[in-house]
Amino acid sequence: MTDATVDPQTPQPGLEPGPARKMRVAAVGDLHVGETSERLYRDLFERVADDADVLCLCGDLTNYGKTPEVERLLEDLKLCTIPMVGVLGNHEHECGQPEEVERMLTDAGVRMLNGEAYEIDGVGFAGGKGFVGGFGRYMLSSFGEASIKRFVQEAVEDANLLENSIRKLRTERSVVLLHYAPVVETVIGEPPEIHAFLGSSRLAETIDRYDNVSLVVHGHAHRGGPEGRTNRGVPVYNVALPVLRTLGDMPYRVFEI
């Protein structure tokens, strides 16, 4: 059932090696549960414990971040019997109550990441929503109008939250969760005109400062590519549900860390 085995990066000194056995990490994003959704993901949350030890939820779990949508999601989520970690997506911000969405998910047992970090059975989990801005030489810079500078500053602040999250971990094996993409490879397939709104190289630059990141998972790019790598070679997987459906019948990907 395991989709891929991820080789750990060369560990930095002073890190904790964790258990000898590999952990099975499942990941999915972009469920987009609506107010009228009827137990769409019951099978997913019931089944995942057979295939994985931890479930990563990569944002856009709801359509608009409305309380009734979260309640619908939680009806299925409560069936999951393994630890869950998650990040919010842009859709959770639409109604202006992301803090309430995060609270509801936290109360349901999801360990939410937004500058925080968690260790589960010797494997670290870090991350956050991330933000937009473009990739490589086309990444937007802080130049010109004040509105552009504010936009770029938000991208920088999101990257700083991600860095704070990773920095807290002392585990040799760590997983980074994002909603937005850190590399362009996993957004290719989307119209080129919107690539800059699907992620930012700032996120990958932050990840590449640390030797203990074994795997990055994200969502958001529904028509993007399934995988890529950072400049240092850290594997990055797009686990948006529409992408997963192009790969087969599994409603999540599973990785051995």
Side-chain angles (χ1 to χ4, degrees):
M1 283 289 190
T2 302
D3 181 88
T5 299
V6 179
D7 293 327
Q9 299 294 298
T10 302
Q12 56 199 42
L15 296 177
E16 301 168 2
R21 74 175 184 87
K22 292 184 180 292
M23 174 181 285
R24 300 169 302 161
V25 177
V28 65
D30 299 82
L31 302 181
H32 290 284
V33 173
E35 289 183 83
T36 60
S37 296
E38 292 290 342
R39 312 304 296 270
L40 292 179
Y41 301 110
R42 178 187 181 96
D43 290 344
L44 185 162
F45 291 114
E46 279 188 324
R47 166 185 182 179
V48 69
D50 294 332
D51 298 323
D53 305 303
V54 176
L55 174 62
C56 298
L57 299 169
C58 294
D60 279 6
L61 307 177
T62 65
N63 273 335
Y64 301 104
K66 295 179 179 180
T67 299
E69 293 176 340
V70 183
E71 290 171 345
R72 290 285 191 178
L73 170 66
L74 296 184
E75 290 176 3
D76 290 344
L77 198 68
K78 66 184 180 183
L79 299 173
C80 184
T81 58
I82 58 175
M84 293 175 283
V85 290
V87 296
L88 297 183
N90 59 309
H91 279 243
E92 276 77 53
H93 285 253
E94 172 60 20
C95 278
Q97 57 166 11
E99 296 85 0
E100 177 62 11
V101 176
E102 185 169 323
R103 183 198 66 77
M104 293 176 71
L105 288 166
T106 299
D107 289 349
V110 183
R111 302 179 186 186
M112 298 300 294
L113 297 166
N114 187 28
E116 298 79 19
Y118 297 99
E119 181 180 330
I120 301 174
D121 295 335
V123 175
F125 292 85
K129 174 176 63 66
F131 198 53
V132 302
F135 302 95
R137 61 183 290 194
Y138 303 110
M139 186 170 65
L140 188 65
S141 61
S142 183
F143 183 87
E145 298 93 325
S147 56
I148 293 293
K149 292 177 180 178
R150 287 193 298 269
F151 184 90
V152 172
Q153 183 57 33
E154 181 161 351
V156 170
E157 289 172 359
D158 272 277
N160 288 341
L161 277 175
L162 174 61
E163 180 147 25
N164 290 338
S165 183
I166 301 172
R167 186 188 294 133
K168 293 174 183 176
L169 293 172
R170 302 306 303 164
T171 51
E172 279 188 2
R173 291 175 284 170
S174 300
V175 179
V176 168
L177 282 70
L178 294 165
H179 180 61
Y180 287 95
V183 295
V184 71
E185 289 89 344
T186 53
V187 306
I188 291 174
E190 296 278 7
E193 293 82 0
I194 67 170
H195 283 184
F197 301 100
L198 297 174
S200 170
S201 291
R202 285 187 176 87
L203 301 169
E205 291 170 1
T206 299
I207 290 163
D208 276 348
R209 295 188 190 111
Y210 295 87
D211 296 330
N212 60 331
V213 178
S214 306
L215 167 70
V216 182
V217 288
H218 74 85
H220 192 50
H222 290 198
R223 291 180 286 178
E227 58 189 82
R229 288 184 178 268
T230 68
N231 286 337
R232 285 190 70 246
V234 179
V236 178
Y237 291 89
N238 179 356
V239 295
L241 185 58
V243 173
L244 300 187
R245 285 173 172 157
T246 69
L247 302 178
D249 296 330
M250 288 282 282
Y252 42 77
R253 290 191 79 166
V254 181
F255 310 92
E256 284 191 346
I257 305 298

